[in-house]
Amino acid sequence: MANHQKNEANEMKKGEVVVVMVPFPAQGHLNQLLQLSRLISSYSYTYNFLNFIATQHQFKELNSGNIYNTCKSIEGCYVDLLEGLEIYGGKKKHWALGPFNPVTKMTTTPLRTNDNNKSKNPRHRCLEWLDKQAPMSVLFVSFGTTTPLTGEQIKELAIGLEQSKQKFIWVLRDADKGDVFSSSSSGEGRRAQLPEGYEERVGGRGVGLVVRDWAPQLEILGHSSTGGFMSHCGWNSCLESISMGVPIAAWPMHSDQPRNTVLVSQVLKVGLVVRDWDQREQLVAASTIEKKVRRLMASRERDATRKRAAELGVTIRRSMDEGCCFNPKCRSLCVSNASLLFRFSLTYGKPFLLPAEIPKELPSMEGCFTFEILNFSTHQYEFAKTAAGDLYNTCRLTEGTYLDLLANELMNGSKRQWAIGPFNSATTYRHKNSNSPDRYLEWLDKQAPHSVVYISFGTSRKDRRTKLPQGYEERVEAMGQGMVVGDWAPQQGILGHLVTGGLMSHCGWNPCMESITMGVPIAAWPMHSDQPWNCLLVTQILKVGLVVREWEHREELVTSSTIEKARRRLMTSEEGNDIRKNAVELGNAIRRSMDDGGLLAWSSILSLLVLPDRFISQNEAYNVLS
C-alpha cells in the first residue's frame, strides 16, 4: 500500500492493473476501506467518482454518440482524433457544442441607479467592488464546490495572496475547510479560519475581498477588472475563464483536473501551474503562491499569457455569434425527443404567420395528451425555463425550416437550438443477414426486396396481449405471408433490412426517425401526444408516407377494408412508388450527412482521451498538436 500512496510517476501504463485484497474482519474493516479509498485517490479519482463512472459504463455501450461542453477552437484536434476511434465496439458520433456558459463580457462599468429606480435583483457586492478597480487588475480565487483545502493550506494561501500585493476576490466557502463532518449544528465549526484580522485588513486597504457565500463566477470572470483566475481547473471553470479570455493559475485537486491543467498550461498556453500534480501531497507555501500570483498578474510572462487568453476568448465568442447567445441564467440543456414541428405548434399554437411550406391548419390539441403525459410535462416546465438551449433528435434535412424559425425568429433569442439527430443507427442491410440469431431477421432474409410491411405501434399502448382470430398466427406463418411477434423485436434491424418496404406505425418520433433514416415509407396511424403532428410532417411535408386514419376520425373504428387499402396504396400502387422514391432519397441524404460527423460529457475531450484504460496516453494526446 505504501508504494502506491503517492503514486510517484502518476501514470498508469496501458493494461496495468493493481489488485488489492481487502479483508473484512468483524472489527476494523472500515480502516481497510479507507486504505482502499486512499489508493484509488492516489490516481486522481475519488472512489465516488469511479463508482459513478462504473454505473454509467453499461449505458455508454448503448448511446449513439457523445456531446461535449467544448468547442473546436479549444479542442478541435481531439474531436478529430476521437472521430477515428472505435469506442465500445463501434464508431460513435461526437459533437462539440460548447461552451454552454454565457460568453458576454462586461466591458464598461454599469450605470448607477438612483434609490427610486433600484433593480429588483441588486448586483452582488463583489461586482460593485470590481467596478472600482483598474482593468485586468484583480485575481479571482475559487476552488469550486467539491474541493476541500486543509486549514493550514488556507492560511498559506491567505498570506501568499496578501504578500503578492495584487488585488483579489477570494470565494472561501465551507467546502474549502474540508471539515464537512463538523458536529457544530450552527455550521461555525466548518467556517474556514483565516489569520486574525485578515478579512478586515485586506478589505480596509482595498486590496482584497473575501466572499463567504455564493458569488456570481461568470459575471466576475466577464468583468473588465478581472485579470486572472486561480482555480482547481474543473472543466466548467476552465471553459468559463477561457471563453472570457481570462488566464488561469491552475491548482488541480482531483478527477479530470490534472488533465485540464495540461490543456490550459501546455497546450493552449493560457495559464500557469500553481502546484504540479506530482507534488499534490505537499503543502504549497505562501512564498510559492506569492510568486505564482505575481507571474500571472505582474510579470513579462503575464503579457504573453494574457494576450493568448484574450485572443482565444475572442475566437470563441466570435464563433458563438454564429448561433444565439446563452441566457446568463441558464445552466442546463433540454433534450427533446419530439419533432420540431410539434414543438413549434405546442409553443405558438395557431393562427400565426408561417412560410408557405408550413401548414396553416394543424391537428387539434384535443385528445392528444393523457393525464400522465400532461403531469410529466408540467414537472419538466420549470427545468426547461432555465435551459441554455434545446437538443433535438432531428436533422436539417427533415426539419431545417422549423429549426431556423425556432432559433432566429420566434424563440427567445437567448437560447440556442441544435438538431443533432438522428440518434439511431443508420446501417442498412444490403444483403442477406445470415449471421443474425433473430428468427425475425432470418425470416426476412427469405423475402423479396421491399415486399414486407413492418407493423408496430410502440410500447406505450395498453392491452398489449391481444387475442387474434383462432389459428391466425399459424395460418399466416405457414403460408409464408407474415409473422406475429409477441415479444421484443429488433426494430432498427428490421427497418434497415433490404426486404422491408413499409412501416405501419403510430408515428412516435423514434419510429419516424428510424424509418426515415432507413428510407422506409410510413403508413401513419397516430394515437396521441405528438403523433398527429409527426403524421402531418411525414405525409404532407416530407411526403414519405400516407395516412391510415385521419386524426379527426380517431374515435372511429378502422375497418379491415380501410387497412387493406392503406397497405396496398403503400406497397403496390403508383402513389406508393412515388412515396418510396421520396423516402429512399431522403434516407440516402440523411445517411450521407451522418457520415460527416447523443449522453452529456461535462469534461474536456483531452481528459477523456487520457483516462486510465482509455485510448491513448497523455503524452500521445499532447503530441497531436506538435
Side-chain angles (χ1 to χ4, degrees), residues 571-586:
M571 300 298 289
T572 60
S573 70
E574 289 290 333
E575 177 189 10
N577 290 336
D578 291 339
I579 290 173
R580 178 167 292 105
K581 181 181 178 182
N582 293 339
V584 169
E585 290 177 352
L586 180 57

Side-chain angles (χ1 to χ4, degrees), residues 538-553:
V538 164
T539 59
Q540 296 188 38
I541 301 175
L542 300 177
K543 301 187 186 302
V544 294
L546 52 82
V547 181
V548 177
R549 181 193 65 185
E550 298 288 352
W551 179 241
E552 58 265 28
H553 299 307

Side-chain angles (χ1 to χ4, degrees), residues 120-422:
K120 295 181 180 179
N121 298 307
R123 298 172 75 226
H124 195 280
R125 64 189 180 96
C126 67
L127 298 177
E128 299 286 346
W129 186 85
L130 279 172
D131 290 343
K132 304 171 185 177
Q133 313 308 319
M136 297 185 288
S137 63
V138 177
L139 175 71
F140 176 50
V141 182
S142 177
F143 297 101
T145 56
T146 63
T147 302
L149 295 175
T150 65
E152 187 178 10
Q153 185 62 80
I154 288 174
K155 290 180 180 179
E156 291 294 319
L157 177 56
I159 295 170
L161 290 174
E162 186 176 16
Q163 290 180 346
S164 73
K165 295 183 169 49
Q166 302 299 309
K167 294 190 175 183
F168 63 89
I169 292 179
W170 183 7
V171 179
L172 182 60
R173 288 175 289 194
D174 291 344
D176 296 329
K177 174 66 166 58
D179 187 12
V180 296
F181 299 108
S182 169
S183 60
S184 173
S185 59
S186 66
E188 287 301 314
R190 293 167 57 193
R191 188 177 178 85
Q193 297 297 314
L194 293 171
E196 186 176 356
Y198 182 85
E199 294 183 60
E200 296 78 7
R201 185 168 65 252
V202 297
R205 289 159 46 198
V207 174
L209 183 66
V210 178
V211 180
R212 292 281 188 170
D213 53 8
W214 175 87
Q217 177 164 300
L218 272 166
E219 293 179 73
I220 294 172
L221 289 172
H223 199 287
S224 59
S225 296
T226 303
F229 182 26
M230 182 177 288
S231 169
H232 60 308
C233 263
W235 186 239
N236 279 340
S237 294
C238 284
L239 261 188
E240 291 167 359
S241 192
I242 291 170
S243 61
M244 297 301 181
V246 176
I248 300 172
W251 190 331
M253 304 290 182
H254 57 74
S255 308
D256 61 333
Q257 297 162 17
R259 279 81 179 180
N260 298 341
T261 296
V262 172
L263 180 70
V264 165
S265 62
Q266 297 184 43
V267 180
L268 300 177
K269 300 184 187 303
V270 294
L272 53 84
V273 181
V274 176
R275 180 190 64 185
D276 288 322
W277 180 242
D278 55 4
Q279 297 174 342
R280 60 191 176 279
E281 300 294 335
Q282 300 176 15
L283 180 72
V284 182
S287 59
T288 299
I289 295 170
E290 175 190 350
K291 291 177 183 177
K292 299 293 184 178
V293 172
R294 287 183 177 274
R295 276 183 60 195
L296 187 72
M297 300 295 293
S299 69
R300 292 183 179 179
E301 179 184 356
R302 171 206 69 176
D303 296 334
T305 303
R306 184 170 288 172
K307 180 181 178 182
R308 282 191 294 270
E311 289 174 348
L312 182 56
V314 169
T315 300
I316 293 170
R317 294 193 296 276
R318 188 180 298 127
S319 69
M320 291 189 72
D321 287 340
E322 297 173 1
C324 299
C325 294
F326 278 83
N327 187 320
K329 298 180 181 179
C330 296
R331 289 295 183 276
S332 62
L333 291 171
C334 283
V335 181
S336 177
N337 199 33
S339 68
L340 285 169
L341 174 62
F342 173 69
R343 169 68 184 275
F344 183 89
S345 306
L346 192 63
T347 305
Y348 298 104
K350 60 175 186 178
F352 38 70
L353 297 176
L354 294 173
E357 64 268 28
I358 302 181
K360 299 297 190 295
E361 293 298 326
L362 295 171
S364 168
M365 291 285 183
E366 183 181 354
C368 281
F369 301 101
T370 64
F371 170 78
E372 290 80 9
I373 292 176
L374 288 174
N375 188 50
F376 174 78
S377 300
T378 301
H379 282 87
Q380 297 298 307
Y381 182 72
E382 290 300 318
F383 297 103
K385 289 193 298 185
T386 64
D390 300 281
L391 306 178
Y392 295 98
N393 181 16
T394 188
C395 63
R396 284 197 164 271
L397 290 168
T398 55
E399 299 192 281
T401 299
Y402 312 116
L403 183 68
D404 292 338
L405 280 172
L406 287 170
N408 300 324
E409 297 179 18
L410 297 176
M411 289 296 289
N412 186 334
S414 64
K415 292 190 176 183
R416 300 178 73 186
Q417 313 294 319
W418 291 286
I420 60 173

Side-chain angles (χ1 to χ4, degrees), residues 396-555:
R396 284 197 164 271
L397 290 168
T398 55
E399 299 192 281
T401 299
Y402 312 116
L403 183 68
D404 292 338
L405 280 172
L406 287 170
N408 300 324
E409 297 179 18
L410 297 176
M411 289 296 289
N412 186 334
S414 64
K415 292 190 176 183
R416 300 178 73 186
Q417 313 294 319
W418 291 286
I420 60 173
F423 294 158
N424 54 275
S425 169
T427 302
T428 57
Y429 299 101
R430 294 300 179 188
H431 52 80
K432 289 187 176 181
N433 193 30
S434 58
N435 293 325
S436 172
D438 289 301
R439 63 188 184 95
Y440 321 120
L441 298 179
E442 291 178 355
W443 184 86
L444 284 172
D445 289 342
K446 302 172 184 177
Q447 313 307 318
H450 307 300
S451 64
V452 177
V453 59
Y454 172 54
I455 305 170
S456 177
F457 295 100
T459 56
S460 63
R461 301 298 299 163
K462 296 180 179 180
D463 302 323
R464 297 298 298 167
R465 192 64 182 174
T466 305
K467 289 186 178 180
L468 295 170
Q470 187 174 3
Y472 180 85
E473 296 183 52
E474 296 79 4
R475 185 169 65 252
V476 296
E477 190 161 349
M479 294 167 54
Q481 185 179 356
M483 287 188 70
V484 177
V485 180
D487 51 8
W488 177 86
Q491 179 161 295
Q492 289 193 46
I494 294 172
L495 289 172
H497 202 290
L498 178 63
V499 306
T500 303
L503 167 66
M504 184 176 290
S505 170
H506 59 307
C507 264
W509 188 239
N510 276 338
C512 283
M513 283 303 295
E514 291 168 358
S515 194
I516 291 170
T517 304
M518 300 302 182
V520 176
I522 300 171
W525 190 333
M527 306 287 184
H528 59 75
S529 309
D530 60 333
Q531 296 163 16
W533 284 269
N534 300 340
C535 174
L536 183 147
L537 178 72
V538 164
T539 59
Q540 296 188 38
I541 301 175
L542 300 177
K543 301 187 186 302
V544 294
L546 52 82
V547 181
V548 177
R549 181 193 65 185
E550 298 288 352
W551 179 241
E552 58 265 28
H553 299 307
R554 60 189 176 277
E555 300 297 332

Side-chain angles (χ1 to χ4, degrees), residues 566-613:
R567 187 195 66 81
R568 289 184 180 275
R569 282 177 58 201
L570 186 70
M571 300 298 289
T572 60
S573 70
E574 289 290 333
E575 177 189 10
N577 290 336
D578 291 339
I579 290 173
R580 178 167 292 105
K581 181 181 178 182
N582 293 339
V584 169
E585 290 177 352
L586 180 57
N588 288 338
I590 291 173
R591 292 194 299 276
R592 278 196 302 271
S593 70
M594 291 178 72
D595 288 339
D596 294 335
L599 211 97
L600 290 174
W602 302 107
S603 60
S604 72
I605 292 179
L606 175 60
S607 69
L608 173 65
L609 287 170
V610 296
L611 282 173
D613 85 347

